[in-house]
Amino acid sequence: MRKQYLIGNWKMHGSKTSVAELLNNIKDSEKKDQSNVNMIVCPPYVFLEQTQEFLKNTQLQWGGQNMAAEQEGPYTGEISALMLLDFGCRYVLLGHSERRHLYGETDAQIAKKIDLAIKTGLAPILCVGETLAERQAKLTNTVLRTQLEKVLDYGSDRLKTAIIAYEPVWAIGTGISAQPEQAQEVHQFLREQIKFLGSDLAQELPILYGGSVKASNAEALFRMPDIDGGLIGGASLDAVEFLRIYGIFASIAGHKI
Ligand code: PGA
């Protein structure tokens, strides 16, 4: 059975007060916790200590939203993998489309970060996805293949501890989610490509869907056989909505094979 994950990406939102409130509320999800179902939150760096404090004795995990491609040194404004570990992170989001498109991160840089994360002991959550223009030009598969290829250039075992998140750029923060069948098709393609690129991890690798997931569309998405959970942005900032999604997710994930 593949591991199933629900991940909240808080992006650049929150204050000490709102983060405390959110953490307090999502701790309730523990009551519904099941061994195959994992919840992770990725707060802004400055709230990691607070998150660690709140969640340290719970089943919930937390992670960074990004990290530097270098171990340490004169890189003003950057955060290292070791720093994330120091604050109890076990996961790190890498290659989020906002990093790729707003900050110009390349496939090569992202692949280097994945390599460093793994060497440092963090499980990378590799985000991949096509833009609307790429989809319309029928380039979805080519784009996704390249995004994976660069990572696997470092070795076919580079995805061993990884989680993949398929996030079509046109669905992120737009309110327009991919159709469940459309997402399923891509997830299946990703698994085939990972196998084709020489990794025998394809069947065990968790592949999550992200992009405008809400309680109203979660069930249909999570029921798809190759969708192993969700990466949730906007809806993860509202504890009631996030827990509603979690409830739907947990009841389906517990029955997946
Ligand atoms: P969204 O964001 O759920 O607000 O679309 C998803 C993400 O960017 O990870």
Side-chain angles (χ1 to χ4, degrees), residues 142-187:
T142 313
V143 170
L144 296 172
R145 190 180 302 120
T146 312
Q147 290 174 343
L148 289 174
E149 246 166 16
K150 288 279 187 288
V151 173
L152 289 166
D153 277 352
Y154 277 83
S156 57
D157 64 342
R158 288 297 81 180
L159 295 176
K160 196 166 181 173
T161 58
I163 297 169
I164 297 207
Y166 167 57
E167 297 206 304
V169 180
W170 46 270
I172 297 178
T174 57
I176 305 162
S177 155
Q179 291 304 309
E181 296 74 17
Q182 204 176 23
Q184 164 62 24
E185 194 180 308
V186 174
H187 283 228

Short mmCIF file of all heavy atoms in Angstrom, two decimals, residues 142-187:
data_model
loop_
_atom_site.label_atom_id
_atom_site.label_comp_id
_atom_site.label_asym_id
_atom_site.label_seq_id
_atom_site.Cartn_x
_atom_site.Cartn_y
_atom_site.Cartn_z
N THR A 142 5.85 16.37 -22.20
CA THR A 142 7.25 16.74 -22.41
C THR A 142 7.78 17.53 -21.22
O THR A 142 8.88 17.28 -20.73
CB THR A 142 7.36 17.63 -23.68
OG1 THR A 142 6.61 17.02 -24.70
CG2 THR A 142 8.79 17.84 -24.11
N VAL A 143 6.97 18.49 -20.74
CA VAL A 143 7.38 19.32 -19.61
C VAL A 143 7.59 18.46 -18.37
O VAL A 143 8.62 18.55 -17.68
CB VAL A 143 6.31 20.41 -19.33
CG1 VAL A 143 6.57 21.14 -18.03
CG2 VAL A 143 6.26 21.40 -20.48
N LEU A 144 6.66 17.57 -18.11
CA LEU A 144 6.75 16.74 -16.91
C LEU A 144 7.94 15.79 -17.01
O LEU A 144 8.65 15.57 -16.03
CB LEU A 144 5.46 15.95 -16.71
CG LEU A 144 4.22 16.80 -16.43
CD1 LEU A 144 2.96 15.94 -16.45
CD2 LEU A 144 4.33 17.51 -15.10
N ARG A 145 8.17 15.26 -18.21
CA ARG A 145 9.29 14.34 -18.39
C ARG A 145 10.62 15.07 -18.08
O ARG A 145 11.46 14.56 -17.36
CB ARG A 145 9.31 13.79 -19.81
CG ARG A 145 10.30 12.66 -20.00
CD ARG A 145 10.32 12.13 -21.42
NE ARG A 145 9.04 11.64 -21.88
CZ ARG A 145 8.36 12.11 -22.92
NH1 ARG A 145 8.85 13.09 -23.64
NH2 ARG A 145 7.20 11.61 -23.27
N THR A 146 10.76 16.28 -18.59
CA THR A 146 11.99 17.05 -18.36
C THR A 146 12.17 17.34 -16.87
O THR A 146 13.27 17.25 -16.34
CB THR A 146 11.95 18.39 -19.13
OG1 THR A 146 11.53 18.10 -20.45
CG2 THR A 146 13.28 19.09 -19.15
N GLN A 147 11.06 17.71 -16.21
CA GLN A 147 11.15 18.04 -14.78
C GLN A 147 11.62 16.82 -13.97
O GLN A 147 12.38 16.95 -13.02
CB GLN A 147 9.79 18.56 -14.28
CG GLN A 147 9.48 19.95 -14.85
CD GLN A 147 8.07 20.45 -14.52
OE1 GLN A 147 7.20 19.70 -14.11
NE2 GLN A 147 7.86 21.75 -14.71
N LEU A 148 11.20 15.64 -14.38
CA LEU A 148 11.63 14.42 -13.69
C LEU A 148 13.05 14.01 -14.08
O LEU A 148 13.85 13.60 -13.24
CB LEU A 148 10.70 13.25 -14.05
CG LEU A 148 9.30 13.27 -13.51
CD1 LEU A 148 8.51 12.11 -14.10
CD2 LEU A 148 9.30 13.15 -11.99
N GLU A 149 13.33 14.14 -15.37
CA GLU A 149 14.62 13.69 -15.92
C GLU A 149 15.80 14.30 -15.19
O GLU A 149 16.75 13.63 -14.82
CB GLU A 149 14.71 14.11 -17.39
CG GLU A 149 14.73 12.96 -18.34
CD GLU A 149 14.46 13.45 -19.77
OE1 GLU A 149 14.57 14.68 -20.05
OE2 GLU A 149 14.12 12.62 -20.58
N LYS A 150 15.69 15.62 -14.97
CA LYS A 150 16.81 16.35 -14.35
C LYS A 150 17.10 15.79 -12.96
O LYS A 150 18.24 15.70 -12.53
CB LYS A 150 16.49 17.84 -14.25
CG LYS A 150 16.51 18.55 -15.58
CD LYS A 150 17.95 18.91 -15.97
CE LYS A 150 18.03 19.76 -17.21
NZ LYS A 150 17.71 19.07 -18.47
N VAL A 151 16.06 15.42 -12.25
CA VAL A 151 16.23 14.89 -10.89
C VAL A 151 16.87 13.50 -10.97
O VAL A 151 17.82 13.19 -10.25
CB VAL A 151 14.86 14.80 -10.17
CG1 VAL A 151 14.98 14.10 -8.84
CG2 VAL A 151 14.29 16.20 -9.98
N LEU A 152 16.38 12.69 -11.89
CA LEU A 152 16.87 11.32 -11.98
C LEU A 152 18.26 11.24 -12.62
O LEU A 152 18.92 10.20 -12.53
CB LEU A 152 15.85 10.44 -12.71
CG LEU A 152 14.59 10.18 -11.86
CD1 LEU A 152 13.47 9.60 -12.69
CD2 LEU A 152 14.90 9.26 -10.68
N ASP A 153 18.70 12.37 -13.23
CA ASP A 153 20.08 12.42 -13.74
C ASP A 153 21.07 12.22 -12.60
O ASP A 153 22.20 11.80 -12.80
CB ASP A 153 20.37 13.80 -14.37
CG ASP A 153 19.88 13.86 -15.80
OD1 ASP A 153 19.45 12.81 -16.33
OD2 ASP A 153 19.90 14.97 -16.38
N TYR A 154 20.67 12.56 -11.38
CA TYR A 154 21.55 12.41 -10.22
C TYR A 154 21.62 10.95 -9.76
O TYR A 154 22.36 10.62 -8.85
CB TYR A 154 21.06 13.28 -9.05
CG TYR A 154 21.52 14.72 -9.15
CD1 TYR A 154 20.83 15.63 -9.93
CD2 TYR A 154 22.65 15.17 -8.45
CE1 TYR A 154 21.25 16.95 -10.03
CE2 TYR A 154 23.06 16.48 -8.53
CZ TYR A 154 22.36 17.37 -9.32
OH TYR A 154 22.78 18.68 -9.42
N GLY A 155 20.80 10.11 -10.36
CA GLY A 155 20.80 8.69 -9.97
C GLY A 155 19.38 8.19 -9.89
O GLY A 155 18.48 8.95 -9.48
N SER A 156 19.18 6.94 -10.26
CA SER A 156 17.80 6.43 -10.32
C SER A 156 17.19 6.27 -8.94
O SER A 156 15.99 6.06 -8.80
CB SER A 156 17.77 5.11 -11.08
OG SER A 156 18.63 4.20 -10.45
N ASP A 157 18.03 6.38 -7.89
CA ASP A 157 17.48 6.26 -6.53
C ASP A 157 17.13 7.62 -5.93
O ASP A 157 16.76 7.72 -4.77
CB ASP A 157 18.49 5.56 -5.61
CG ASP A 157 19.75 6.39 -5.44
OD1 ASP A 157 19.98 7.30 -6.28
OD2 ASP A 157 20.50 6.13 -4.49
N ARG A 158 17.24 8.70 -6.73
CA ARG A 158 17.05 10.05 -6.16
C ARG A 158 15.62 10.31 -5.68
O ARG A 158 15.39 11.26 -4.95
CB ARG A 158 17.46 11.13 -7.19
CG ARG A 158 18.94 11.25 -7.42
CD ARG A 158 19.73 11.66 -6.19
NE ARG A 158 20.00 10.57 -5.28
CZ ARG A 158 20.68 10.70 -4.14
NH1 ARG A 158 21.13 11.86 -3.76
NH2 ARG A 158 20.89 9.65 -3.37
N LEU A 159 14.70 9.48 -6.08
CA LEU A 159 13.32 9.71 -5.63
C LEU A 159 12.93 8.76 -4.51
O LEU A 159 11.76 8.68 -4.12
CB LEU A 159 12.35 9.58 -6.80
CG LEU A 159 12.49 10.63 -7.90
CD1 LEU A 159 11.54 10.34 -9.04
CD2 LEU A 159 12.20 12.04 -7.35
N LYS A 160 13.93 8.06 -3.98
CA LYS A 160 13.65 7.02 -3.01
C LYS A 160 12.79 7.46 -1.82
O LYS A 160 11.84 6.80 -1.45
CB LYS A 160 14.98 6.44 -2.51
CG LYS A 160 14.82 5.13 -1.81
CD LYS A 160 16.15 4.46 -1.65
CE LYS A 160 15.94 3.13 -0.95
NZ LYS A 160 17.15 2.36 -0.92
N THR A 161 13.14 8.59 -1.24
CA THR A 161 12.36 9.05 -0.08
C THR A 161 11.42 10.20 -0.46
O THR A 161 10.87 10.87 0.39
CB THR A 161 13.28 9.53 1.05
OG1 THR A 161 14.11 10.58 0.52
CG2 THR A 161 14.14 8.41 1.58
N ALA A 162 11.30 10.41 -1.78
CA ALA A 162 10.56 11.59 -2.23
C ALA A 162 9.05 11.37 -2.30
O ALA A 162 8.56 10.24 -2.30
CB ALA A 162 11.06 12.01 -3.61
N ILE A 163 8.37 12.49 -2.34
CA ILE A 163 6.93 12.52 -2.63
C ILE A 163 6.85 13.42 -3.86
O ILE A 163 7.58 14.42 -3.95
CB ILE A 163 6.16 13.18 -1.46
CG1 ILE A 163 6.32 12.35 -0.19
CG2 ILE A 163 4.70 13.38 -1.81
CD1 ILE A 163 5.82 13.05 1.07
N ILE A 164 5.98 13.08 -4.79
CA ILE A 164 5.80 13.97 -5.95
C ILE A 164 4.45 14.65 -5.82
O ILE A 164 3.48 14.03 -5.36
CB ILE A 164 5.89 13.17 -7.27
CG1 ILE A 164 7.30 12.57 -7.35
CG2 ILE A 164 5.55 14.03 -8.47
CD1 ILE A 164 7.83 12.30 -8.69
N ALA A 165 4.41 15.92 -6.18
CA ALA A 165 3.12 16.61 -6.21
C ALA A 165 2.90 17.12 -7.62
O ALA A 165 3.70 17.93 -8.11
CB ALA A 165 3.10 17.76 -5.21
N TYR A 166 1.86 16.60 -8.26
CA TYR A 166 1.50 17.13 -9.58
C TYR A 166 0.60 18.33 -9.36
O TYR A 166 -0.50 18.20 -8.82
CB TYR A 166 0.80 16.07 -10.43
CG TYR A 166 0.15 16.67 -11.66
CD1 TYR A 166 0.93 17.40 -12.57
CD2 TYR A 166 -1.21 16.57 -11.90
CE1 TYR A 166 0.36 17.99 -13.69
CE2 TYR A 166 -1.80 17.15 -13.02
CZ TYR A 166 -1.00 17.87 -13.90
OH TYR A 166 -1.57 18.47 -15.00
N GLU A 167 1.10 19.49 -9.76
CA GLU A 167 0.32 20.72 -9.59
C GLU A 167 0.28 21.48 -10.91
O GLU A 167 1.22 22.22 -11.23
CB GLU A 167 0.97 21.60 -8.52
CG GLU A 167 1.00 20.98 -7.15
CD GLU A 167 1.04 22.04 -6.07
OE1 GLU A 167 1.96 22.88 -6.09
OE2 GLU A 167 0.14 22.05 -5.24
N PRO A 168 -0.78 21.29 -11.69
CA PRO A 168 -0.87 22.08 -12.92
C PRO A 168 -0.89 23.57 -12.56
O PRO A 168 -1.68 23.98 -11.71
CB PRO A 168 -2.18 21.62 -13.55
CG PRO A 168 -2.92 20.83 -12.51
CD PRO A 168 -1.95 20.45 -11.44
N VAL A 169 -0.02 24.34 -13.20
CA VAL A 169 0.12 25.75 -12.82
C VAL A 169 -1.21 26.50 -12.97
O VAL A 169 -1.55 27.35 -12.15
CB VAL A 169 1.24 26.41 -13.67
CG1 VAL A 169 1.43 27.88 -13.30
CG2 VAL A 169 2.56 25.66 -13.51
N TRP A 170 -1.97 26.10 -13.98
CA TRP A 170 -3.26 26.77 -14.24
C TRP A 170 -4.31 26.48 -13.18
O TRP A 170 -5.36 27.11 -13.15
CB TRP A 170 -3.78 26.38 -15.63
CG TRP A 170 -3.71 24.92 -15.93
CD1 TRP A 170 -2.66 24.26 -16.51
CD2 TRP A 170 -4.70 23.92 -15.64
NE1 TRP A 170 -2.94 22.92 -16.60
CE2 TRP A 170 -4.18 22.68 -16.09
CE3 TRP A 170 -5.97 23.95 -15.07
CZ2 TRP A 170 -4.89 21.49 -15.97
CZ3 TRP A 170 -6.67 22.76 -14.95
CH2 TRP A 170 -6.14 21.55 -15.40
N ALA A 171 -4.03 25.52 -12.31
CA ALA A 171 -5.01 25.18 -11.27
C ALA A 171 -4.64 25.76 -9.91
O ALA A 171 -5.45 25.74 -8.98
CB ALA A 171 -5.13 23.66 -11.16
N ILE A 172 -3.43 26.29 -9.78
CA ILE A 172 -2.97 26.75 -8.47
C ILE A 172 -3.56 28.13 -8.14
O ILE A 172 -3.32 29.10 -8.87
CB ILE A 172 -1.43 26.80 -8.41
CG1 ILE A 172 -0.88 25.38 -8.57
CG2 ILE A 172 -0.95 27.44 -7.11
CD1 ILE A 172 0.62 25.31 -8.56
N GLY A 173 -4.34 28.16 -7.08
CA GLY A 173 -4.89 29.43 -6.60
C GLY A 173 -5.93 30.04 -7.52
O GLY A 173 -6.32 31.19 -7.36
N THR A 174 -6.40 29.29 -8.52
CA THR A 174 -7.35 29.85 -9.48
C THR A 174 -8.79 29.46 -9.19
O THR A 174 -9.71 30.02 -9.77
CB THR A 174 -7.02 29.33 -10.91
OG1 THR A 174 -7.08 27.89 -10.88
CG2 THR A 174 -5.65 29.77 -11.36
N GLY A 175 -8.95 28.45 -8.32
CA GLY A 175 -10.31 27.96 -8.07
C GLY A 175 -10.72 26.93 -9.11
O GLY A 175 -11.78 26.31 -9.00
N ILE A 176 -9.88 26.72 -10.14
CA ILE A 176 -10.21 25.74 -11.18
C ILE A 176 -9.29 24.53 -11.02
O ILE A 176 -8.12 24.56 -11.39
CB ILE A 176 -10.00 26.33 -12.59
CG1 ILE A 176 -10.80 27.62 -12.73
CG2 ILE A 176 -10.35 25.32 -13.68
CD1 ILE A 176 -10.34 28.49 -13.88
N SER A 177 -9.84 23.49 -10.41
CA SER A 177 -9.03 22.28 -10.22
C SER A 177 -9.02 21.46 -11.51
O SER A 177 -9.91 21.61 -12.35
CB SER A 177 -9.67 21.47 -9.09
OG SER A 177 -9.36 20.13 -9.22
N ALA A 178 -8.00 20.62 -11.66
CA ALA A 178 -8.03 19.65 -12.77
C ALA A 178 -9.21 18.72 -12.53
O ALA A 178 -9.58 18.47 -11.39
CB ALA A 178 -6.73 18.86 -12.81
N GLN A 179 -9.77 18.21 -13.61
CA GLN A 179 -10.82 17.19 -13.47
C GLN A 179 -10.16 15.93 -12.91
O GLN A 179 -9.02 15.64 -13.27
CB GLN A 179 -11.44 16.87 -14.83
CG GLN A 179 -12.27 18.01 -15.41
CD GLN A 179 -13.36 18.44 -14.46
OE1 GLN A 179 -14.14 17.63 -13.98
NE2 GLN A 179 -13.41 19.74 -14.15
N PRO A 180 -10.85 15.18 -12.07
CA PRO A 180 -10.23 13.98 -11.49
C PRO A 180 -9.62 13.04 -12.54
O PRO A 180 -8.51 12.56 -12.37
CB PRO A 180 -11.40 13.31 -10.76
CG PRO A 180 -12.34 14.42 -10.46
CD PRO A 180 -12.20 15.41 -11.55
N GLU A 181 -10.33 12.82 -13.65
CA GLU A 181 -9.82 11.89 -14.69
C GLU A 181 -8.58 12.47 -15.37
O GLU A 181 -7.67 11.75 -15.74
CB GLU A 181 -10.89 11.61 -15.77
CG GLU A 181 -12.13 10.89 -15.27
CD GLU A 181 -13.07 11.76 -14.44
OE1 GLU A 181 -12.95 13.02 -14.50
OE2 GLU A 181 -13.91 11.21 -13.71
N GLN A 182 -8.60 13.80 -15.51
CA GLN A 182 -7.47 14.50 -16.14
C GLN A 182 -6.23 14.36 -15.25
O GLN A 182 -5.14 14.07 -15.73
CB GLN A 182 -7.89 15.98 -16.20
CG GLN A 182 -7.25 16.83 -17.21
CD GLN A 182 -7.88 18.24 -17.15
OE1 GLN A 182 -8.45 18.67 -16.15
NE2 GLN A 182 -7.75 18.95 -18.25
N ALA A 183 -6.41 14.53 -13.94
CA ALA A 183 -5.30 14.39 -13.00
C ALA A 183 -4.83 12.94 -12.96
O ALA A 183 -3.63 12.67 -13.00
CB ALA A 183 -5.73 14.86 -11.61
N GLN A 184 -5.77 12.01 -12.93
CA GLN A 184 -5.43 10.59 -12.90
C GLN A 184 -4.55 10.21 -14.10
O GLN A 184 -3.56 9.50 -13.97
CB GLN A 184 -6.71 9.74 -12.86
CG GLN A 184 -6.55 8.26 -13.22
CD GLN A 184 -5.64 7.49 -12.27
OE1 GLN A 184 -5.45 7.87 -11.12
NE2 GLN A 184 -5.04 6.41 -12.77
N GLU A 185 -4.91 10.74 -15.25
CA GLU A 185 -4.15 10.43 -16.48
C GLU A 185 -2.69 10.90 -16.33
O GLU A 185 -1.77 10.17 -16.66
CB GLU A 185 -4.83 11.18 -17.63
CG GLU A 185 -4.42 10.73 -19.00
CD GLU A 185 -5.17 11.56 -20.06
OE1 GLU A 185 -6.41 11.66 -19.99
OE2 GLU A 185 -4.49 12.14 -20.94
N VAL A 186 -2.53 12.08 -15.77
CA VAL A 186 -1.17 12.61 -15.59
C VAL A 186 -0.41 11.80 -14.53
O VAL A 186 0.76 11.47 -14.71
CB VAL A 186 -1.20 14.11 -15.23
CG1 VAL A 186 0.20 14.61 -14.90
CG2 VAL A 186 -1.80 14.93 -16.35
N HIS A 187 -1.09 11.45 -13.45
CA HIS A 187 -0.41 10.68 -12.39
C HIS A 187 0.06 9.34 -12.93
O HIS A 187 1.16 8.89 -12.63
CB HIS A 187 -1.37 10.47 -11.20
CG HIS A 187 -1.52 11.70 -10.35
ND1 HIS A 187 -1.43 11.67 -8.98
CD2 HIS A 187 -1.71 12.98 -10.69
CE1 HIS A 187 -1.58 12.90 -8.52
NE2 HIS A 187 -1.77 13.71 -9.53
#
